[in-house]
Amino acid sequence: MKKKQIIIAFIFIFSSITNGQMIQRSPLHKQELQRKKIGVVLSGGGAKGFAHVGVLKVLEENGIPIDYIAGTSMGAVVGGLYSLGYTADMIDSLIQVQDWRHLMRDDVYRENIPASRRNYQNKYVVSLPYNTPFGDRSGGVTIPAGVYSGQNIYNFFLNSTIGYHDNINFDDLPIPFGCISADIRTGDEIVMREGNLAEAIRASIAVPGLFTPVKKDSMLLIDGGVINNYPVDLVRDMGADIVIGVILPTDKEWLEQSKGTITEITEQIWNFIGQDKRTKNILDTDILITPETHPYGMLDFQKPAIDTIVGRGVTAAMNNLDKLTDLKKSLGIDESLSVPYAKSNLFIELDTFIINNIIVEGITPKERSYLDRWINIDDTLVARAELDKVISKIYGSGIFNRVNYRLEGQNPFDMIITVDVKETNRLNLGIHFNSNDMAAILANTTLRFNSSLNSLFDITTRLSRDPYLMIDYSINSGIFYKGGINYKISRNDFSIYDRGKLSYNLGITRNKINLIFSEIYFGNIMLHLGAQMDYFHFYKAMGSVFDPPQTELNDKIYFNYLLNGVYDNLNNIYFPTSGQYFSFQYSLHTDNFVSMENEVPLSIVSADLIKPFAINEEVFLTPRVSTRYIINDSVPRMYRNLVGGRIDGHYMPQQISLQGSTGMEFLNNMVFTTDVTIHFRFAHNNYLYTNLNYTAHSNRLHTLFEGESFLGINLGYSYMTVAGPLLLELGYSELSRRVHPYLSLGYYF
C-alpha cells in the first residue's frame, strides 16, 4: 500500500513539473485560450472567388489566427480546403495546375475513354435524356436539371478531401467549417456543418442550370448563393467574436458589356433572393475586404486570369493591413511568436494510399466483371492520380450517369465505388457546317432492353446531303471481348476530279452488313476480325467517262473479310500534344465468297501513323504517314484508291484525306502520303497551324517513287468553341492545282 502511495505521489509531482514546463514553453497556448475567436467568411463569385486565396496568404503571413471559416459557392471550395489544413500557398498551387474547363464539365480525357468508344468523343454537343414508352413509363424527351452533372468537379473534391470521406462533424476538422446551400423544393437555407465534406462543397456550388442539384434525403440542394452568398451569420453561430469577410462586388462595367448573355444571368441571379441578409451580414463584418477583379468574371477560369485574380486578393488584403495589424495587437498576441493557422492533416502530403478492398455499389455482383476491365488496380499501393483515372475510365464507358468513390478507414483504406446506371436513354445531337458539304446533323442513342450492361443497341443517323443510318448490336463477353452485328445504309453524292478539273459525278446507295467475329480490347489496343457484305446501287453517273456506260457501275454485291488493329492513345484528335496513333488493315474482297470475277480475291493493305512532338509548351509538330496498297491489277471502281478532302473516310471508307486539295481523285494502286502539321496555341482555345504534305502513287510498290508525286500546303486558324472547332483555312495542292479556301464549324462526323 505504501509502495502504491509513493508511486502515485511521484507521478503527480512529475506531471505538475511537466505541465509547468509546457506552460512556460508555450505562452501562445495561454493566449489562445484567453483571446477572442476569429472567423473568416468567403463569399461566392465563381472564378472571382480565387481572390480568397490571395487574402488568406496575407492573413497567414501576418500571423492572423483563424478559428472558424465559412463560405458559399466558390467561398465554400476555398474555405473547405483551408479548413482541412491546406495552406494558402498549397491551394494556390492546387488551383493553378487544374484544367478548370475540364473540371466544370463532364468531359473525359480521350486517353481514359475505352478504346471501343473513342470515336464517339468530340461529336455531340447536346445530350438529352428520354424514356421509351415501354411498361408503365411514358415516352418523351426530358430536360436535364443542369447542363453538367458535376462528375469531374465532385471527384476533384473527393480527391482533395481524402481522409475525410466519412460522415463527420465539420467542427472536428483542423479548422471548424460551415457552408451554405439552398433546398430548391422548400426555398429554405441549408446550413451544412456535418456529413460528407466533398458532398457539402459540391452542393454549395451547384449553380442553377449549370450543375445538377445534389439529392440529399428529401432535399434537392443548389448553390447557396441564391439565398445567403456571404454567410457572416453562420460563422457568428459557430462561435466567432470577430469576423474578417471577403466579398466580391459586382463589376457594373463588366456586367454592362455582358448584357443579355448567360454571363449576365449567372451574375445577377444572386440578387433576387437574400439581398437583405447580404446587407445585414456586411454590416456585421468587423474587417471587410473587397478585391477588385475587373475585367474578370465568374467564368474566367483560364490560368492567366487565375494568377491575376489571386494577386488582386493579395492587394485587397494589403490595403487593410493596418486594420489587420490593429486586430492582432488587440488580441494580445506576441509579435515574436508564430501563429499556427491549423492543426495538421497528414493526408495532404500523401501521394499514394494503401487499398485493402474495392467494393462497387449500384450494380449486381454479376455485372461487376464488366467494370473490372477499368478497375485495373493490381497493387495495394495506389497513387492519388490513379484514383481519378480509374473513376474516369468507368464513367467514360458511357453507361453511367455518375461515378464517384470514397475511401473508408485510415490508410489502409477500403475503396467504395458508387455508380448510377443510366435508367433513361440519351439522345445525343451534333451539328457541323463546312463550305464543301454545308450543314449536317448527327443523332445517336444507345439502348439497353434488359438490365445487362453487356448487351447494347447503338443507333446513329446523319442528316445531310450525304445521309446515313447505322444500327449496331454488340455483346461484350468477359473483360476484353466484343462481338456483334452492324448495319449501315448510306447515300453519297460526290464528285471525282482529275488534276483539279471535274471529271464526273457519282450517286451511290450503299448497304453494308458487318459481322464482328471477334473484337478484342487491351488498354489502347484494338484487334478486329470480321466479315462484310457490301451492296452498291448507282442511282446517278454523270460524265463523259460513262459514255458508253461501264459495266462496273452496275449494281453489285461483294463479300469481304477484314483484319485490322489500332493502337491509339492520342490525347486529342484535332490538335494532339501527346500519345500516338497507329492502324493497319488487311482485307480480302470477293464477289462470291471465294474469288473476284473468277480470279483470286482482291487483297488490300493499308496503314496510318500519327505521332505529335513538343517543340515547346505551345508549339507542337505532328507528322503523319498514310499508305494503301491494292495488290491485284483488276480493281472495282468502288475499292480503288481515293485521295483528297479534309477528313479520312468521309465519302468512302478508303478515302485518304489530303489537306489543301479541292476534292477527291482516283490514284493508282499504291498510294503513299506523308504530311507534317505544326500548330501553335497563342491563346486559350486559339490555334494557328500549317500543314505541309507530299503524295506519291504508282501501280506497284517497288516503283512508288518513280511515279507521279504532289506537294501541298495548308494554312489555318482555329478556335475551339463549345460546338466544336471553328476552322478558317487556305490551301493549295499540286494534285488540285488551285488555291482552296475552307470554312467549317463543329465536330467532324
Side-chain angles (χ1 to χ4, degrees):
M1 187 70 181
K2 202 168 185 181
K3 235 176 175 184
K4 285 184 182 179
Q5 289 174 343
I6 292 171
I7 292 171
I8 291 169
F10 177 79
I11 292 172
F12 176 78
I13 293 168
F14 179 79
S15 299
S16 300
I17 293 171
T18 305
N19 288 336
Q21 288 174 343
M22 288 178 65
I23 292 170
Q24 288 175 0
R25 288 199 305 267
S26 306
L28 182 60
H29 177 71
K30 185 176 180 181
Q31 293 176 10
E32 290 288 311
L33 293 174
Q34 295 175 347
R35 68 168 174 79
K36 293 181 178 180
K37 300 300 181 181
I38 296 176
V40 169
V41 180
L42 308 176
S43 75
K48 296 189 296 183
F50 292 132
H52 298 320
V53 180
V55 173
L56 292 173
K57 284 186 178 186
V58 174
L59 297 183
E60 283 182 16
E61 290 167 0
N62 288 277
I64 306 298
I66 299 175
D67 303 292
Y68 308 99
I69 192 163
T72 299
S73 198
M74 186 57 80
V77 176
V78 176
L81 293 175
Y82 201 78
S83 73
L84 279 171
Y86 286 86
T87 66
D89 283 337
M90 286 179 179
I91 299 175
D92 191 9
S93 298
L94 189 64
I95 64 176
Q96 294 284 0
V97 299
Q98 301 306 316
D99 180 353
W100 286 95
R101 182 180 180 275
H102 173 76
L103 288 181
M104 301 299 282
R105 303 178 180 217
D106 298 329
D107 299 339
V108 179
Y109 288 126
R110 192 170 187 272
E111 56 264 38
N112 291 333
I113 296 177
S116 59
R117 291 189 55 83
R118 284 183 187 162
N119 288 335
Y120 287 82
Q121 192 196 32
N122 288 343
K123 286 187 178 182
Y124 306 107
V125 180
V126 177
S127 182
L128 300 172
Y130 71 92
N131 290 314
T132 51
F134 300 130
D136 57 354
R137 296 189 302 182
S138 59
V141 174
T142 59
I143 303 299
V147 177
Y148 304 114
S149 70
Q151 167 70 23
N152 294 334
I153 194 72
Y154 186 29
N155 282 299
F156 166 68
F157 297 150
L158 288 168
N159 193 287
S160 304
T161 60
I162 287 175
Y164 294 88
H165 286 176
D166 297 323
N167 288 326
I168 58 173
N169 188 318
F170 297 167
D171 286 344
D172 296 332
L173 294 171
I175 299 176
F177 170 71
C179 63
I180 301 292
S181 62
D183 184 2
I184 198 169
R185 288 175 172 156
T186 63
D188 293 338
E189 175 183 342
I190 306 299
V191 175
M192 310 188 79
R193 293 184 58 188
E194 62 182 11
N196 182 290
L197 179 61
E199 182 183 59
I201 297 172
R202 164 67 179 86
S204 190
I205 67 152
V207 179
L210 181 63
F211 290 122
T212 56
V214 173
K215 295 179 181 179
K216 186 172 178 62
D217 301 325
S218 63
M219 300 180 293
L220 200 60
L221 303 179
I222 62 171
D223 193 315
V226 301
I227 199 165
N228 189 358
N229 199 38
Y230 179 57
V232 173
D233 50 338
L234 169 57
V235 85
R236 291 285 188 192
D237 291 342
M238 292 169 69
D241 302 304
I242 299 169
V243 174
I244 301 172
V246 188
I247 195 166
L248 302 164
T250 301
D251 186 336
K252 294 181 179 179
E253 181 182 342
W254 177 83
L255 204 57
E256 184 64 28
Q257 295 173 356
S258 305
K259 208 165 187 178
T261 68
I262 191 172
T263 306
E264 181 192 22
I265 296 169
T266 306
E267 183 79 22
Q268 294 285 51
I269 194 172
W270 320 120
N271 294 332
F272 287 99
I273 309 172
Q275 190 63 31
D276 291 340
K277 176 168 279 194
R278 182 176 184 271
T279 302
K280 182 181 176 182
N281 282 337
I282 289 174
L283 293 174
D284 194 27
T285 304
D286 296 290
I287 299 177
L288 183 64
I289 300 173
T290 56
E292 172 57 58
T293 58
H294 179 78
Y296 302 106
M298 294 182 63
L299 304 179
D300 286 317
F301 287 96
Q302 300 84 13
K303 189 178 185 304
I306 294 173
D307 284 335
T308 304
I309 293 170
V310 171
R312 298 285 181 85
V314 172
T315 301
M318 291 301 293
N319 291 339
N320 288 270
L321 187 57
D322 290 343
K323 294 179 182 178
L324 295 173
T325 302
D326 291 342
L327 171 61
K328 186 175 180 181
K329 289 179 180 177
S330 71
L331 297 175
I333 297 175
D334 190 335
E335 289 288 339
S336 64
L337 299 172
S338 62
V339 178
Y341 78 96
K343 302 171 189 174
S344 62
N345 178 351
L346 300 178
F347 297 105
I348 292 176
E349 300 293 343
L350 286 180
D351 287 329
T352 55
F353 305 94
I354 301 172
I355 304 296
N356 271 343
N357 302 298
I358 298 176
I359 303 163
V360 181
E361 298 177 341
I363 58 173
T364 65
K366 184 179 179 180
E367 292 169 332
R368 165 68 189 268
S369 63
Y370 187 79
L371 267 65
D372 283 342
R373 70 189 74 184
W374 303 303
I375 308 175
N376 53 352
I377 298 176
D378 299 324
D379 202 351
T380 57
L381 200 62
V382 181
R384 187 185 290 263
E386 187 65 23
L387 296 173
D388 285 342
K389 185 172 287 190
V390 167
I391 298 302
S392 186
K393 286 181 177 180
I394 298 173
Y395 183 71
S397 67
I399 60 176
F400 302 107
N401 289 315
R402 60 184 61 86
V403 182
N404 305 126
Y405 72 96
R406 64 184 185 274
L407 299 185
E408 293 185 349
Q410 291 292 321
N411 205 26
F413 294 101
D414 286 334
M415 183 178 183
I416 293 88
I417 299 173
T418 304
V419 299
D420 177 19
V421 179
K422 289 180 178 177
E423 296 296 335
T424 57
N425 302 304
R426 310 286 296 193
L427 176 62
N428 306 308
L429 298 172
I431 187 166
H432 181 83
F433 168 86
N434 68 62
S435 52
N436 291 342
D437 302 316
M438 305 307 289
I441 295 174
L442 189 71
N444 164 269
T445 189
T446 299
L447 303 174
R448 289 190 300 116
F449 292 115
N450 53 51
S451 61
S452 173
L453 301 180
N454 298 337
S455 179
L456 301 173
F457 270 100
D458 199 80
I459 303 172
T460 305
T461 183
R462 181 175 70 192
L463 305 176
S464 68
R465 193 178 71 178
D466 298 289
Y468 68 73
L469 171 67
M470 183 169 63
I471 301 173
D472 182 274
Y473 176 69
S474 61
I475 301 173
N476 295 274
S477 178
I479 296 180
F480 305 116
Y481 170 78
K482 175 183 175 182
I485 185 169
N486 173 285
Y487 170 72
K488 181 178 181 180
I489 179 171
S490 59
R491 183 182 175 93
N492 292 99
D493 188 338
F494 57 89
S495 299
I496 300 296
Y497 292 82
D498 183 12
R499 305 306 176 264
K501 294 181 180 180
L502 181 62
S503 181
Y504 54 90
N505 184 270
L506 284 177
I508 303 171
T509 299
R510 183 177 190 176
N511 285 269
K512 183 169 63 174
I513 297 176
N514 287 306
L515 295 175
I516 304 171
F517 297 143
S518 179
E519 195 162 281
I520 300 172
Y521 298 93
F522 186 78
N524 296 310
I525 299 173
M526 184 276 289
L527 294 174
H528 169 97
L529 176 64
Q532 179 186 93
M533 185 194 77
D534 225 352
Y535 174 70
F536 294 97
H537 166 66
F538 297 90
Y539 64 86
K540 181 171 67 173
M542 298 176 62
S544 59
V545 72
F546 302 121
D547 188 16
Q550 295 188 8
T551 56
E552 65 176 287
L553 293 185
N554 294 333
D555 294 353
K556 190 76 173 177
I557 189 169
Y558 298 97
F559 303 95
N560 310 320
Y561 308 94
L562 303 97
L563 171 65
N564 65 288
V566 175
Y567 178 88
D568 178 8
N569 69 338
L570 290 176
N571 66 336
N572 189 291
I573 59 173
Y574 294 101
F575 297 102
T577 59
S578 66
Q580 55 191 331
Y581 175 91
F582 172 73
S583 69
F584 76 90
Q585 178 171 292
Y586 176 72
S587 58
L588 287 175
H589 302 261
T590 76
D591 56 9
N592 62 1
F593 294 106
V594 294
S595 65
M596 176 69 76
E597 298 179 356
N598 297 318
E599 297 183 3
V600 296
L602 176 67
S603 296
I604 303 175
V605 179
S606 60
D608 199 15
L609 173 64
I610 303 171
K611 172 63 180 174
F613 297 93
I615 297 176
N616 57 42
E617 290 185 355
E618 306 298 340
V619 180
F620 292 83
L621 183 148
T622 306
R624 168 183 165 168
V625 175
S626 295
T627 185
R628 189 170 187 263
Y629 183 34
I630 303 172
I631 299 174
N632 307 58
D633 290 327
S634 179
V635 186
R637 187 173 298 271
M638 289 303 94
Y639 293 119
R640 287 182 59 188
N641 286 324
L642 272 172
V643 175
R646 187 67 177 76
I647 309 166
D648 286 346
H650 182 65
Y651 296 101
M652 298 292 287
Q654 73 267 32
Q655 177 188 349
I656 299 173
S657 62
L658 186 64
Q659 310 310 311
S661 63
T662 303
M664 295 185 300
E665 304 202 14
F666 282 126
L667 297 186
N668 290 334
N669 286 2
M670 176 63 203
V671 171
F672 172 85
T673 71
T674 182
D675 62 65
V676 59
T677 300
I678 301 174
H679 78 258
F680 166 51
R681 189 180 70 172
F682 63 92
H684 182 68
N685 283 338
N686 286 267
Y687 300 85
L688 291 174
Y689 58 93
T690 184
N691 177 280
L692 305 173
N693 54 72
Y694 169 81
T695 302
H697 74 124
S698 179
N699 271 327
R700 290 288 181 267
L701 174 62
H702 63 275
T703 61
L704 172 63
F705 296 106
E706 297 174 9
E708 286 186 295
S709 61
F710 313 96
L711 295 174
I713 185 171
N714 197 33
L715 301 172
Y717 161 77
S718 176
Y719 176 71
M720 298 299 293
T721 73
V722 293
L726 169 66
L727 300 176
L728 300 171
E729 297 180 357
L730 192 64
Y732 175 82
S733 172
E734 289 181 338
L735 182 67
S736 301
R737 297 177 180 173
R738 65 174 177 173
V739 175
H740 175 59
Y742 179 79
L743 166 67
S744 77
L745 174 64
Y747 297 117
Y748 304 148
F749 51 77

